[in-house]
Amino acid sequence: MLDSNIRNQLRAYLEKIQQPIELVTSLDDSDQAREMLALVQEIAELSAKVSVRQDGDAVRRPSFAVGRVGEAARISFAGIPMGHEFTSLILALLQTGGHPPKAEASVLDEIRAIPGRFHFETFISLSCHNCPDVVQALNLMSVINPGISHQMIDGALFQSEVSERQIMGVPTVLLNGEHFGQGRMTLEEIVGRIDVGAVQREAEKVSARAPFDVLIVGGGPAGAAAAIYAARKGVRTGVVSERFGGQVLDTLAIENFISVKETDGPKLAAGLEQHVREYEVDIMNLQRAEQLIAAGEDGLAEVRLASGASLRSRTVIIATGARWREMNVPGEKQYRGHGVAYCPHCDGPLFKGKRVAVIGGGNSGVEAAIDLAGVVGHVTLLEFEASLRADAVLQKKLFSLPNVRVITQALTTEVTGDGQKVNGLVYTDRASGESQRIDLEGVFVQIGLLPNSDWLKGTLALSRHGEIEIDARTQTSLPGVFAAGDVTTVPYKQIVIAMGEGSKAALSAFDHLIRTSVS
């Protein structure tokens, strides 16, 4: 199954295994089972410390477990972990074999100390770029703590179970048979949810920080750029972020980042964090800002967090970005994750052969329709305006596809379902005023962004669209408070623009610092 180049790379990785491990298969008579057996046997041929047994008794077949010889395996794969999940397999082999994981020592200690029994199951699609982070985090936890186990499940291979459990978005995680979460989750997030004291302990650590010179709220491209530029000025810099990387983490193909011909969101986000960590920047991840309090007589502004912690700083740069815009129609929230989705790359494979709709005729909507057309049975694209707004080259590709229908002047008014999953949508034909219904099983919403500025209402000036109003130097209506990126009134929400604005905000903050007397 593996070409010679991958075999050679894998052989080099497997040399890092310190303790013998075994791959235990639970197979059936399917073609996938034969492919799985061929894969594990090929892996075993590359290292004397890897062996294969074919006497597994797992319920889900085909599957295979990864464990140390003589111990019960705590990691398993119900599916063939290729594509985005191949790295998950490699890490599972290395970590089970004793190669130390790349994680903060404090987080590893916290995982080891978690009491109880936790069996996680993660439904994924092999094309999902968010799924590996969750799979790898849960696999690592299973290696570290004997009370934790995890199985990755390829939803495309176990379609009947996906339908039975009404799983319509990936990654979907079950804990001890019950729904635990859906979508991207980091190792720290998962640990925080099952270790009840983690949030309070972290809040106490955060609150104990000394005041910053520059505090950046948000860890996307704008926030990362601001952190680097501020730190390079030699001032005390901190970044507090709900998730470092921001919405870039949910972006697949990036082909307009100058000097980089092609990359993807998770890779770019990892690069941003790595670059920021090259400097003396205090990164406080998984912390959501709730309130901004303007500087008082001591010259320090305060940012209060949802965890109960608070931070103080001489200047603040707000770079909280934006989120997917919702349709706000009946049925959308009810069926989110049960037919209503926002990431075609992640969730598209779960709708293989089915009928879906894409809402939105801009670049993201048309790209989503093109992507989905290669997987699903039929795509209906609905656009509010009289014509599509996407680039001409994308429209040409879209209209060349035989299983795509485009409806313009369409106002979606309702997502319908049977109580468990989507079964259609209703729209108004704006030309005739008539209401129309489409029978389908999935709705992908691609209608733009909303700024993450709700927590700032009444604190500083916002536009009628909720964006933070800034001047040419990124200054907000509050002295010493700057803003950058998609959360602001700056036109054109692009990664490269956000980075430039973040850099500008850091330079403006530094200029403010050197012109303001220290109390």
Side-chain angles (χ1 to χ4, degrees):
M1 291 186 64
L2 306 176
D3 63 36
S4 59
N5 185 43
I6 293 178
R7 284 174 60 89
N8 290 334
Q9 292 182 36
L10 184 54
R11 181 182 285 109
Y13 281 125
L14 296 180
E15 290 178 358
K16 300 177 182 179
I17 293 178
Q18 300 172 11
Q19 301 178 39
I21 62 174
E22 59 183 5
L23 310 179
V24 183
T25 62
S26 300
L27 305 176
D28 54 20
D29 295 328
S30 66
D31 291 339
Q32 290 85 354
R34 286 184 280 275
E35 289 182 29
M36 181 178 291
L37 180 59
L39 174 63
V40 298
Q41 289 177 334
E42 196 168 356
I43 291 171
E45 291 173 0
L46 300 177
S47 173
K49 292 184 178 179
V50 181
S51 59
V52 176
R53 282 177 29 212
Q54 299 184 46
D55 58 352
D57 57 0
V59 174
R60 288 192 183 96
R61 295 170 181 262
S63 64
F64 69 96
V66 181
R68 293 178 183 173
V69 175
E71 297 182 9
R74 300 194 294 273
I75 296 174
S76 59
F77 296 87
I80 303 172
M82 300 301 287
H84 288 303
E85 292 297 346
F86 190 60
T87 301
S88 301
L89 171 59
I90 294 173
L91 290 174
L93 296 171
L94 296 181
Q95 292 168 1
T96 302
H99 185 68
K102 291 183 178 180
E104 295 289 339
S106 59
V107 176
L108 296 178
D109 289 341
E110 192 173 344
I111 294 170
R112 293 187 185 98
I114 296 174
R117 307 291 296 184
F118 304 88
H119 176 58
F120 291 94
E121 300 164 287
T122 304
F123 286 83
I124 61 97
S125 71
L126 295 178
S127 63
C128 169
H129 57 286
N130 288 325
C131 295
D133 287 347
V134 177
V135 171
Q136 291 164 25
L138 291 169
N139 284 349
L140 186 153
M141 292 173 65
S142 301
V143 169
I144 297 297
N145 188 321
I148 300 174
S149 59
H150 175 239
Q151 183 173 61
M152 181 214 82
I153 306 159
D154 181 1
L157 189 57
F158 293 87
Q159 279 283 347
S160 59
E161 188 173 356
V162 166
S163 299
E164 180 183 343
R165 291 180 178 270
Q166 303 296 324
I167 293 171
M168 306 191 78
V170 291
T172 291
V173 181
L174 307 181
L175 171 56
N176 298 334
E178 301 295 328
H179 181 82
F180 176 77
Q182 183 175 315
R184 176 184 290 273
M185 289 179 280
T186 66
L187 175 64
E188 292 80 4
E189 284 178 284
I190 297 169
V191 171
R193 289 187 59 181
I194 64 175
D195 182 0
V196 293
V199 173
Q200 180 60 36
R201 290 196 300 273
E202 186 61 26
E204 292 172 356
K205 292 179 184 177
V206 170
S207 291
R209 258 77 164 185
F212 293 95
D213 293 314
V214 179
L215 176 63
I216 298 138
V217 184
I228 291 168
Y229 266 71
R232 287 175 62 87
K233 291 296 186 181
V235 298
R236 177 167 162 73
T237 304
V239 175
V240 59
S241 174
E242 193 165 356
R243 59 170 187 164
F244 201 97
Q247 196 179 25
V248 166
L249 290 166
D250 302 322
T251 304
L252 189 58
I254 298 173
E255 299 176 345
N256 59 355
F257 188 61
I258 310 305
S259 84
V260 178
K261 184 177 179 181
E262 183 179 353
T263 187
D264 60 56
K267 186 183 296 183
L268 178 59
L272 292 175
E273 183 170 1
Q274 183 180 8
H275 196 173
V276 172
R277 290 188 182 278
E278 291 292 320
Y279 298 91
E280 292 186 9
V281 176
D282 189 349
I283 298 177
M284 296 156 281
N285 203 14
L286 308 180
Q287 298 287 338
R288 178 167 55 86
E290 272 198 342
Q291 186 180 7
L292 171 67
I293 300 175
E297 293 183 0
D298 61 358
L300 297 174
E302 181 181 357
V303 175
R304 294 181 179 175
L305 309 176
S307 64
S310 66
L311 295 162
R312 296 182 301 158
S313 182
R314 293 174 62 196
T315 63
V316 175
I317 297 174
I318 301 168
T320 45
R323 62 191 183 277
W324 294 116
R325 183 184 297 274
E326 299 176 356
M327 296 183 293
N328 292 317
V329 299
E332 180 180 16
K333 283 187 169 61
Q334 179 182 355
Y335 293 107
R336 180 179 297 168
H338 297 277
V340 175
Y342 300 84
C343 180
H345 307 293
C346 302
D347 299 333
L350 297 178
F351 295 84
K352 184 177 181 179
K354 299 179 180 180
R355 300 178 66 86
V356 304
V358 173
I359 312 300
N363 281 350
S364 60
V366 172
E367 286 173 352
I370 293 170
D371 184 44
L372 289 165
V375 178
V376 305
H378 187 271
V379 180
T380 301
L381 185 146
L382 292 92
E383 162 60 29
F384 180 81
E385 300 293 348
S387 60
L388 301 184
R389 294 166 287 110
D391 294 343
V393 64
L394 294 175
Q395 292 192 44
K396 182 178 180 181
K397 174 64 177 177
L398 180 73
F399 286 112
S400 73
L401 301 174
N403 61 336
V404 174
R405 177 191 179 196
V406 175
I407 303 175
T408 56
Q409 297 197 74
L411 172 63
T412 304
T413 56
E414 183 181 5
V415 176
T416 64
D418 60 8
Q420 294 185 315
K421 59 183 179 180
V422 166
N423 62 17
L425 67 77
V426 179
Y427 73 93
T428 297
D429 183 330
R430 296 176 59 235
S432 66
E434 295 179 355
S435 181
Q436 305 285 345
R437 174 183 166 81
I438 305 174
D439 292 326
L440 43 76
E441 293 158 289
V443 178
F444 289 82
V445 184
Q446 301 282 293
I447 56 174
L449 303 171
L450 281 175
N452 293 319
S453 60
D454 293 346
W455 63 288
L456 296 165
K457 290 179 178 177
T459 304
L460 45 70
L462 303 177
S463 73
R464 64 187 182 89
H465 299 296
E467 299 166 321
I468 301 173
E469 294 184 346
I470 58 172
D471 64 15
R473 294 177 178 269
T474 74
Q475 172 71 54
T476 72
S477 59
L478 284 180
V481 177
F482 304 85
D486 289 1
V487 73
T488 73
T489 50
V490 68
Y492 311 119
K493 313 304 185 186
Q494 299 290 312
I495 293 171
V496 69
I497 292 174
M499 286 184 171
E501 290 293 300
S503 305
K504 188 197 299 183
L507 295 173
S508 295
F510 180 72
D511 187 62
H512 176 86
L513 288 172
I514 62 177
R515 294 173 184 275
T516 304
S517 60
V518 180
S519 59

